[in-house]
Amino acid sequence: MKVIAVSNYKGGCAKTTTAVNLAYDLAAGEGKRVLLIDADPQGNASYVLWKYNPNAHTLMGIYGGKSIKSLIRRSKYGNLDMVPSMTELERVNREASMRGLDPNGLRRQIDSIEDRYDYVVIDCQPTMQFLTLSALYAADLVIIPFKAAAFCINGLELMRDYLEDAAQKRKYAPALNYACLLTMFSGRTKSLNRVMDLVEQDTYTIFDTMISFSAVCENAEDKKIRKPLLKHRKNSKVAADYLELTKEILSVIEG
């Protein structure tokens, strides 16, 4: 079992879109057994993949004595389960220090179900509070979606500092692999030049796959649709991009 966290300190970079479509493509396209953990109190991944139930237990349960196994729910799709989130999860961030919560606890919970899944995908919130740090401590690979805009690229330096700090403090393993994923790419020369500058710095690992900008993504997440891209517009360029990303990740992790 491998754990992939999708995280960026900055919002609006297609983080949840990436987590949802990677999880679905691993399950539906590659036949993997996948668990998506929604660690974002906004619950956007839960909104897309799961039939909302206000009385269901969420990820918050593992910080109240429940096992992660008891929190797993079936998504709307085969081979893909999830641990949902709701706004109440924000309490964990607020209370973590006071309660002395251990950010390594999430990985211990995940390890207890390693015989059930091939991949765990964690959707993180766009902050570096307790929940996100727990995901970084748990991950084998962190995917950092970013747009080819100046502010997004400048924020990668801060993100790397958090990752290197997590690599030092976590108990799971000393090595923490991470790579940047260009999302919402318009194909403009200026944007491409910014990405090439990053490559030339030899500072960041960047996936070969680029995710195209497309209104199809926003449409797929509309409340009347709420589907992964392959279910909504399987022939779209952006759906093909996420399939290509999935295969690239598999080649890195399994090859």
Side-chain angles (χ1 to χ4, degrees):
M1 182 188 67
K2 297 296 182 182
V3 180
I4 302 172
V6 184
S7 178
N8 193 324
Y9 191 73
K10 183 170 175 35
C13 296
K15 177 184 57 59
T16 295
T17 299
T18 298
V20 165
N21 285 284
L22 173 61
Y24 179 80
D25 290 356
L26 283 168
E30 301 294 335
K32 304 295 184 181
R33 300 170 301 166
V34 181
L35 175 68
L36 186 143
I37 298 176
D38 191 347
D40 185 346
Q42 295 183 64
N44 292 329
S46 301
Y47 181 78
V48 173
L49 292 178
W50 181 61
K51 185 176 181 180
Y52 181 78
N53 179 354
N55 299 314
H57 295 299
T58 68
L59 181 63
M60 188 171 176
I62 70 170
Y63 303 104
K66 295 183 180 296
S67 69
I68 195 169
K69 188 179 295 185
S70 70
L71 307 175
I72 294 172
R73 299 291 178 263
R74 293 187 181 277
S75 78
K76 297 184 287 187
Y77 306 104
N79 285 342
L80 178 54
D81 295 340
M82 70 177 306
V83 176
S85 170
M86 296 182 196
T87 54
E88 64 174 2
L89 190 60
E90 186 59 39
R91 284 176 45 199
V92 176
N93 284 327
R94 295 197 303 266
E95 300 172 0
S97 179
M98 177 183 66
R99 294 171 56 187
L101 297 178
D102 181 4
N104 288 287
L106 179 59
R107 180 68 197 213
R108 289 195 293 270
Q109 288 275 357
I110 290 172
D111 282 344
S112 72
I113 54 172
E114 64 179 351
D115 61 328
R116 296 180 58 173
Y117 298 101
D118 302 306
Y119 285 89
V120 174
V121 178
I122 308 175
D123 184 29
C124 302
Q125 66 183 132
T127 69
M128 280 299 156
Q129 295 176 284
F130 177 82
L131 290 167
T132 300
L133 292 177
S134 298
L136 299 184
Y137 282 31
D140 297 295
L141 171 66
V142 179
I143 299 174
I144 310 167
F146 76 101
K147 295 190 293 185
F151 290 159
C152 291
I153 290 175
N154 292 342
L156 292 178
E157 190 73 28
L158 182 60
M159 185 70 192
R160 185 177 60 184
D161 290 343
Y162 279 112
L163 287 163
E164 292 180 352
D165 186 62
Q168 294 296 320
K169 292 180 178 178
R170 68 188 194 146
K171 297 177 181 177
Y172 166 61
L176 176 56
N177 297 313
Y178 59 92
C180 300
L181 171 68
L182 178 60
T183 60
M184 305 169 75
F185 180 56
S186 63
R188 293 175 182 169
T189 301
K190 187 175 182 179
S191 297
L192 187 58
N193 288 340
R194 285 173 173 158
V195 177
M196 293 307 298
D197 287 343
L198 277 180
V199 173
E200 289 171 2
Q201 291 174 22
D202 197 28
T203 303
Y204 302 94
T205 299
I206 302 178
F207 285 103
D208 292 335
T209 306
M210 298 180 181
I211 306 300
S212 306
F213 174 81
S214 176
V216 171
C217 293
E218 185 175 347
N219 294 338
E221 294 161 4
D222 184 88
K223 64 181 180 179
K224 294 182 180 180
I225 299 174
R226 292 192 294 164
K227 293 179 180 179
L229 291 166
L230 276 184
K231 294 290 289 184
H232 176 52
R233 291 284 188 272
K234 67 178 182 179
N235 294 322
S236 65
K237 175 67 167 62
V238 68
D241 290 344
Y242 274 112
L243 277 176
E244 184 178 344
L245 172 68
T246 302
K247 293 184 183 299
E248 183 177 356
I249 290 172
L250 287 176
S251 70
V252 170
I253 292 179
E254 300 184 0

